[in-house]
Amino acid sequence: MVVGFESSIWNVSREVKVTAAVFAVTLVAVKLMSSLSKGRYKLPPGPRNFPLVGYLPFLGKHPTVVFSSLRKIYGDVFSIQMGSFPAIVLNGMDAIKEALVTKGDDFSARPPFTTARLLNEGRNFGFAAFGPIWKAHRKIVSNVMYAFSNARNNPIEDIIVSEAITVVEEFAAHGNKPFQPSDAITMAASSLIYQLCYGRNKNIREDPDFASTLKNGQKFREFTSTGNPVDVMPWLRFIMPWKVSTFLEITGAAGVKRTKKVEEHKKTFDEEHLRDITDGLIHAANHLSDEDKAVGLDSTRVIESIDTIFGAGGSTIASFLDWSVLLMAAFPEIQEKVFQEIEDVVGQSRYPSLADRSRLPMVEATIYEIFRFSCPVPLALPHATTCDTTVQGYDVPEGTVVLVNLYSVFHDQKTWGDPEKFRPERFLLDNGQLDKAKTEQVIAFSLGRRRCVGEYLARMEVFLAFTTLIQRCRLYKPPGVPEYTLGRVFRLGCDPEPYEVCAARRE
């Protein structure tokens, strides 16, 4: 017992010493690099930072609000310290477009954050290093997503409409009583991406594999909802080792589930009949070109892309639909205009289809305004610079973390005039058609090299789910409830504050 106790003391002491050493070295390195950088570069201006933690203590629960305040002081590009990493924040369309499009290769790396490095040792598509392998990988994944979305026999429309109808049924089951819609929406969005990735399943809510995947996804959202300080302060892994071990446990479970589903697909795989995104990735992995192999791309990496597609696909759609329900209930006159257009074009004898899209400009305008107003992804995944470069006249050293503030574009006073007002008509021309120039300002899926590879599919999902929901269901604020605040909760994305709604089936 004594030996064990002494061993425990020694282990704790050793960890404390290691932590102290890393802490001291990091502090010295940060100060040294900061002083050297100031002499060599014309860096963007910015606020003062605390040692080691940088500007993190000031970001609070609403970082984009803080960034908006800093933008007024320092301009569209400013510097902050993200823990151990020097960073810049890009605000406004001009700065973001210059960095991500005009100088896309310079700004397309990912920061070496702890969790990013742990994701398959850099093999994860969303966080992989920028270079020849990643370029070949992205091209293949883009082709798979596009081919699946446009295949004549794909089940996409059927799956999306079916999930939207399920949401309508669950809403209607409450009668005229108030309820919180977020759980039903999250379930539907998760079911939707699960079936698109792994195949049509009419009894999906009874599928134990889906249930365990849903539970693991909930753990991941809860774990990441407040961020992971180990990412930007790597030395914290010695003080908070569970921040790494829990992350590995959750992502490991997801990897095991993905491997099982892929192996099941391989047993019944038919090149002449690709059933879902997983089949598409297996097909692509089986037909890698010599050029792809030459740069180092392999079949395993291609198939593992399903992790990124699945992880990103559900949360954005869930957040959009959550905001849709709230905003349609909050603005019944807009909801009625949307419904009337759907009624005139589609009627009640069938469900909406993608072929109706061009004839529903008010629906499209409302979808763009929901994206703009809610900004479900206020900050793009962090970028990093691949070399010494510039943006808006400022020097940006190689390896700098780049935070892309999409919220600043969606709520820019100069662009929108009244950004805090929900007004879909801003996207319509005088002739009632969609204003393409305005819609291009809503960069909900980011820009440039790292633009969301599933954007085309996501837009299909949003259009069909939203139109089906409004066609079949009237949403309204519960009687006696005060006006909705339309407040925001910032996690990995931006969700509405909890709210209640009432729903009535449209016959």
Side-chain angles (χ1 to χ4, degrees):
M1 290 291 291
V2 174
V3 173
F5 182 68
E6 289 178 346
S7 176
S8 298
I9 293 176
W10 165 247
N11 289 334
V12 171
S13 175
R14 183 172 56 184
E15 288 190 6
V16 170
K17 290 178 180 178
V18 170
T19 301
V22 172
F23 186 92
V25 170
T26 303
L27 178 60
V28 172
V30 168
K31 288 189 173 182
L32 178 61
M33 292 301 296
S34 178
S35 61
L36 290 175
S37 295
K38 288 179 181 178
R40 292 176 54 197
Y41 300 104
K42 179 190 174 184
L43 301 175
R48 298 189 65 174
N49 303 274
F50 284 130
L52 288 179
V53 296
Y55 205 74
L56 295 179
F58 300 108
L59 295 182
K61 295 182 178 180
H62 305 284
T64 54
V65 175
V66 176
F67 290 158
S68 295
S69 299
L70 293 175
R71 182 188 186 190
K72 293 176 182 178
I73 300 172
Y74 300 106
D76 286 352
V77 183
F78 56 83
S79 299
I80 60 172
Q81 189 74 22
M82 292 288 290
S84 303
F85 296 91
I88 63 168
V89 181
L90 301 178
N91 302 273
M93 181 62 90
D94 290 343
I96 291 174
K97 199 168 184 179
E98 179 186 344
L100 301 191
V101 179
T102 306
K103 300 177 180 177
D105 282 8
D106 294 358
F107 287 85
S108 289
R110 290 292 192 210
F113 290 166
T114 301
T115 53
R117 288 189 290 107
L118 291 172
L119 284 170
N120 298 324
E121 298 180 349
R123 296 173 60 86
N124 182 280
F125 174 66
F127 296 92
F130 179 73
I133 298 177
W134 182 86
K135 291 178 184 178
H137 192 178
R138 180 182 173 85
K139 182 178 180 180
I140 286 175
V141 175
S142 297
N143 290 340
V144 168
M145 297 292 286
Y146 184 80
F148 176 66
S149 301
N150 289 279
R152 289 185 178 181
N153 61 344
N154 76 54
I156 292 177
E157 290 200 38
D158 181 40
I159 294 173
I160 298 171
V161 171
S162 176
E163 285 300 326
I165 294 169
T166 299
V167 171
V168 171
E169 296 290 341
E170 293 184 7
F171 282 10
H174 292 279
N176 56 4
K177 295 180 180 179
F179 64 95
Q180 291 189 346
S182 58
D183 286 347
I185 289 171
T186 298
M187 172 68 78
S190 300
S191 172
L192 179 57
I193 190 63
Y194 191 90
Q195 292 181 79
L196 294 177
C197 286
Y198 297 131
R200 186 77 169 98
N201 185 346
K202 294 183 178 180
N203 298 311
I204 188 168
R205 283 164 175 74
E206 301 172 12
D207 185 339
D209 283 344
F210 173 66
S212 63
T213 300
L214 198 64
K215 185 176 181 180
N216 198 60
Q218 179 62 31
K219 285 183 181 179
F220 184 81
R221 285 189 291 274
E222 291 173 356
F223 180 74
T224 57
S225 63
T226 56
N228 194 339
V230 173
D231 270 339
V232 292
M233 294 177 283
W235 48 272
L236 278 178
R237 67 184 302 173
F238 299 105
I239 300 174
M240 308 166 71
W242 63 89
K243 285 291 186 180
V244 173
S245 59
T246 303
F247 178 81
L248 289 175
E249 178 186 338
I250 295 172
T251 55
V256 169
K257 188 64 62 180
R258 180 251 304 152
T259 299
K260 177 185 176 183
K261 300 301 291 185
V262 169
E263 291 305 313
E264 289 174 355
H265 272 64
K266 287 181 177 179
K267 292 176 182 178
T268 56
F269 178 73
D270 179 0
E271 289 206 357
E272 301 301 320
H273 180 60
L274 304 182
R275 300 159 294 185
D276 47 45
I277 294 173
T278 297
D279 270 358
L281 291 172
I282 293 173
H283 181 270
N286 291 341
H287 294 83
L288 289 177
S289 68
D290 292 338
E291 185 179 349
D292 293 330
K293 294 176 183 177
V295 298
L297 187 62
D298 59 68
S299 59
T300 302
R301 188 187 291 255
V302 171
I303 294 174
E304 287 176 352
S305 307
I306 200 71
D307 289 344
T308 302
I309 296 168
F310 188 87
S315 57
T316 301
I317 301 303
S319 182
F320 173 87
L321 291 177
D322 209 359
W323 277 106
S324 298
V325 171
L326 172 60
L327 291 169
M328 290 299 93
F331 299 96
E333 69 285 357
I334 294 175
Q335 181 185 174
E336 191 57 31
K337 288 181 181 179
V338 171
F339 169 72
Q340 197 56 58
E341 185 177 69
I342 296 171
E343 181 74 3
D344 292 343
V345 173
V346 181
Q348 292 290 321
S349 61
R350 65 178 178 88
Y351 296 113
S353 74
L354 292 173
D356 299 316
R357 204 168 179 175
S358 61
R359 298 189 294 158
L360 296 170
M362 182 61 188
V363 170
E364 285 279 77
T366 303
I367 288 173
Y368 274 104
E369 180 69 344
I370 293 170
F371 269 125
R372 186 205 66 81
F373 182 87
S374 66
C375 194
V377 184
L379 290 172
L381 284 177
H383 289 234
T385 48
T386 60
C387 58
D388 287 356
T389 186
T390 61
V391 63
Q392 297 286 287
Y394 293 110
D395 294 326
V396 186
E398 178 181 354
T400 301
V401 174
V402 180
L403 302 178
V404 182
N405 185 10
L406 300 180
Y407 188 88
S408 69
V409 178
F410 293 3
H411 288 259
D412 195 311
Q413 186 78 29
K414 293 180 181 179
T415 302
W416 307 108
D418 53 355
E420 294 306 318
K421 185 174 182 179
F422 183 73
R423 187 167 58 84
E425 289 83 1
R426 72 174 80 244
F427 290 101
L428 295 176
L429 297 169
D430 291 340
N431 63 3
Q433 296 304 303
L434 209 58
D435 187 337
K436 300 293 185 180
K438 280 285 180 67
T439 63
E440 290 176 358
Q441 298 291 314
V442 184
I443 51 175
F445 300 91
S446 195
L447 291 172
R449 292 282 202 176
R450 295 279 185 173
R451 187 173 187 146
C452 177
V453 74
E455 176 179 356
Y456 185 78
L457 178 59
R459 290 192 183 280
M460 292 170 61
E461 296 175 73
V462 161
F463 172 79
L464 289 171
F466 177 70
T467 51
T468 303
L469 180 62
I470 301 303
Q471 180 200 37
R472 301 290 170 174
C473 190
R474 183 174 71 86
L475 304 161
Y476 60 98
K477 182 175 68 66
V481 171
E483 293 299 314
Y484 292 124
T485 63
L486 305 181
R488 298 174 173 89
V489 178
F490 291 92
R491 299 186 179 94
L492 284 180
C494 179
D495 298 323
E497 290 181 344
Y499 65 95
E500 290 190 333
V501 69
C502 289
R505 192 192 303 274
R506 296 185 191 267
E507 301 296 346

